[in-house]
Amino acid sequence: MFQKIAGSKSNFFAALLFSFVFGVFAAGFINFGNRFFWPFFLISFILTALFLTEKIKRKQLFLGCVLFFFFGLWRFVLSQPSQSPKNLIYYIGRQAQVAGEIISEPVTRNGSQKIVLASQRIIIAGLAEQRSARGKLLILLEPHPAYFYGQKITVDCALEKPFQKTGERFSYADYLGKEGIWVVCLSPKILSVENGKSNIFVQGLIGFRNFLAGRLEEILQEPYAAFAGGLLYGARSNLPPDLTNAFNRTGLSHIVAVSGYNISVISAALLAFLNGIGFSRKRSFKISLFGIVFFVLFAGASSSVVRAGIMGVLVLWAKNSGRSGSAGRVLLFTAFLMLIFNPRLLLFDAGFQLSFLSTIGLIYFTPVLEKIFYFLPSRLGLKDALITTFSALLATYPLIIYQFGRLSLVAPVANLLILPFIPLAMALCFVSLFGAVIFLPLGQIFAYSAWFLLWYMIEVVNWLSGFEWSALELKISGWSFVLFYITIILFIFYLKRKFNEKNSF
Amino acid sequence: MKKILFSLLIFTAFLIGGWWINSFRSFGPSAVLNKVNFLKSNKVNSANVNSPASALKVIFFDIGQGDSALILTPQGKKILVDGGPDDKVLSKLGKYLPLRDKKIDVMILTHPHADHLEGLISVLRRYEVGEVYYSGMIHTTAGFLEWLKLIKEKDISMKIIKKRETVEIGGVNLDFLYPDRDLSLGAVSSAAGTAGGNGATDISDSEQESKYKSNGNLNNTSVVFKLSFGRTSFLFMGDAEKEVEEILLKKCGDNINDNIKEEALNKVKTENGDCFLKADVLKAGHHGSHTSSGEEFLRAVKPKQAIISVGKDNDYGHPHLRVLRRLERLGIKILRTDEIGDIEMMSDGMIIK
């Protein structure tokens, strides 16, 4: 087998990439601090020299894997925050005045406004001098007044570490850390606000999105407007908390949360729908692709959204080309690139994990499930939509249980009842919004059609989430989590072999 | 061509279906439907409720830890009392109002605490609001300032409640019982002036003012009003505490007030001896906290039902056990939003259901 991998160029390459991913995983798991920077760097350096001079393919493969493993370790260590006075982290525990710029659109949810500030200058209480200290600062504020992307503010606050709820697996510090935020400010006092020069492209995008959101709000009521926004451009933060909870309990959060999971499931459903109503394969592929780009731009084009978009395109491409082997390698390469940019995603970003696993599910499980559910009607892309969902569900179920401690029992039914209607709902929302942009009363009339489906879906979700047993609280250990996946993979392998045997008769 | 026609057909089907279901589940016709059932069960006094639009509907929203209620008057006016602590009120309005209905005729803010105010800010942004009623008490939180700013921006007229008065809206009467004096800052001095330059009252007034500024007693600036339709009535307490209840009780005897209209006056007379506070439904003050709903007050109001608008497992321990026991002892039925969700009540002018 070793020989086989070493012989094929693409497999050789895949093995290296996999080693890198594994290295990042190991480093994150052990959580190496940044004092390992130089040792890992040196080892990598020596290994590179050995790797390049080695002539025997098999030995070269082995050296390459070890090298990429250390690359992975080293890359993770590099992502640890540095403890220098130039970094904001250095001042944790102090009272300080921080001046900086708001670098993403503030999110108002559950009665508080969250701002991410890129600090530029800092004045420590008690010291007169001004220092330059860089770093991102998360500020929690009252919902009013609202702040905007691009504003320059000075804030007085006690710099703190992100708080950790005891006895919870979810680590808030790691969650923020993956976005490069290590410092939070819970009791801020805003000292000054001025409008800075910000990225005009992003500003324009935000402005246009707000315009569209405003139109949606005019033609629909809550929670339908927020739901439509979630479907069309992933504006999830406006959804009322109880509805978000209902979506979680029914295993449907992927339809409104921006993640690769969401984009790949929805674009696959869209593709199936377009195919179903008679568009050619090529054209529906193009329309779906356009949909993804639209979605990514309007969801704010933040790094996580762009990641999600890439995953979505990948799945589309895999479905279109029908070559799961090469799609798998491309997925690995994509993961490799993303981890080079941000190695903390692998362990600390549930969205990344979900996207990754669901994509694996869509690539490898779909062909098998297609053979099991051959009897389903394929009208309006119903069958395709269902098969894609179930593949994604199967691949992500254990992770969802592990990460969120929740097992949705109604998820299959909920997906069955809701997913087939998503593309149609998106289309109707789009038409209504389009109508509202041209002429508001027109949009108001069109909105009845969109409202109908949105209403249906929300009623179903509320109904299904209302049972005592619709979601179970379940805590599983890391080992049973791994065991879970091994079982699923073996099961799929078994099915695949069985179908292959059948075909050979 | 066929494809386009087919899509158009589907679109129209959804359009009509959506319109039909929306009108069916929304305020107008559903009220009629309820009414039919209602009439079936209560054959008495049906003479009063012949026209379909002659029912009053009051919905106390399950809004979490906070207060919010929507009053739909027999003549189709919409009165929103408080907005709860967040945007949830928007979803509630979306649930009870038809899709095209984006107007609130009267918005009442009882007092400027966030659990009553926040939702109203979003409502001001999304809905066309006809008029705002408020005590005039100035508060300095960002949320309150935002609320004021929006009212000013949208050029909505604000009515300051500063004495007992009755307002007729859409077929119901709103009898404002409190505040009985002007609480807006600018008017404080003039109020003291009319008191006859009496030094003592002057000081006590300003003392009270400063007390109101402290957090706890803002509750006692709550607008308290009685909603009455025919012989049925609802008493909205806001977060008013025992101090306000005592002030109201003191006036219990002198029913006759210059501002009460003739009919209301007649009503008071026929209710021989009953305090003007008497109401069928009481929205218990301050989410059922022990600072409110005193025994004497409850005896004067004599409600059949008490609404407690409260969030599940809230940090304040509302409602207080003592208040619940007191209500039980007096034979008052307790309805809690955290237990039964939104509370819908209908009145035909005679009976509340």
Side-chain angles (χ1 to χ4, degrees), chain A residues 144 217 220-222 448 451, chain B residues 97-98 100 102 118 126 142:
Chain A
H144 313 285
E217 284 164 7
L220 288 167
Q221 302 156 302
E222 293 303 335
Y448 279 104
W451 177 86
Chain B
L97 297 180
R100 292 286 298 278
K102 291 269 173 158
E118 275 306 320
R126 300 278 189 94

Side-chain angles (χ1 to χ4, degrees), chain A residues 38-107:
Chain A
W38 288 112
F40 285 156
F41 184 76
L42 270 175
I43 295 171
S44 306
F45 191 77
I46 297 165
L47 281 168
T48 313
L50 288 174
F51 173 68
L52 290 177
T53 49
E54 182 59 57
K55 287 280 172 310
I56 303 165
K57 264 265 160 343
R58 251 168 47 204
K59 278 189 183 166
Q60 199 184 21
L61 176 67
F62 176 74
L63 274 173
C65 285
V66 178
L67 170 65
F68 270 70
F69 177 76
F70 270 93
F71 267 156
L73 292 176
W74 178 70
R75 181 63 192 90
F76 186 85
V77 167
L78 199 63
S79 78
Q80 299 281 40
S82 74
Q83 296 284 348
S84 86
K86 289 255 174 247
N87 197 319
L88 205 58
I89 302 173
Y90 186 77
Y91 303 100
I92 280 183
R94 304 278 197 98
Q95 186 78 26
Q97 287 180 18
V98 184
E101 190 181 326
I102 300 175
I103 49 162
S104 61
E105 230 206 337
V107 176

